[in-house]
Amino acid sequence: MDFSAVNWLAVIIAAVVAWLFGAAWYMGLSKPWLKAAKLDPATMSKSALPFVISFIAELVMAFVMSLVIGAMTGGEPSLIAGLVFGFVLWLGFVATTLSVNHRYEGFGWDLTIIDCGHWLGVLLIIGAVIGWFGAAAA
């Protein structure tokens, strides 16, 4: 696999913007999310680890998205291609996985909607940034 077309600046920017989106999403929906996730803030541990893990995960997602978009567009990514692939990957993998997992874990659809909305935003942002920046300069 050829990684030379990966625009590393786009990958980093996409991950940062997606992470910031997630922070805003869950700050705005913190009360409904805590209720849906059946969590009590008083008993939750205070740790930066989940924030670090989510950023690393978004870096990986941005890297993989750049590979997918690059391969599927013949090395000529675009904003529209990024948005389309972000949506398709979300629908095919994230929405389906969370829907299944949340049913087995006994959570309601409210948690699924909140979490799926977050990941839809993340993948659209990552796809848009990767597509907008395009491939790495030769």
Side-chain angles (χ1 to χ4, degrees):
M1 182 168 282
D2 179 20
F3 299 130
S4 65
V6 173
N7 186 329
W8 294 103
L9 178 61
V11 167
I12 292 167
I13 290 172
V16 169
V17 174
W19 189 88
L20 291 171
F21 165 78
W25 180 267
Y26 284 110
M27 282 193 311
L29 294 171
S30 62
K31 288 182 183 177
W33 182 80
L34 286 166
K35 181 180 178 188
K38 302 173 185 170
L39 295 171
D40 180 4
T43 61
M44 294 172 60
S45 66
K46 309 291 189 252
S47 171
L49 188 59
F51 301 100
V52 172
I53 291 171
S54 65
F55 181 71
I56 292 168
E58 287 164 358
L59 271 173
V60 171
M61 293 170 86
F63 171 69
V64 171
M65 181 83 77
S66 72
L67 294 175
V68 169
I69 294 170
M72 298 302 291
T73 62
E76 297 183 21
S78 69
L79 177 63
I80 298 300
L83 290 170
V84 168
F85 284 110
F87 177 77
V88 168
L89 293 172
W90 169 82
L91 182 63
F93 296 102
V94 177
T96 54
T97 300
L98 285 178
S99 295
V100 170
N101 285 1
H102 287 168
R103 299 302 70 74
Y104 278 106
E105 295 166 347
F107 292 112
W109 284 101
D110 47 351
L111 181 63
T112 305
I113 291 167
I114 293 168
D115 287 345
C116 279
H118 162 253
W119 289 114
L120 174 60
V122 164
L123 286 170
L124 289 175
I125 288 167
I126 289 173
V129 171
I130 297 297
W132 183 48
F133 272 69

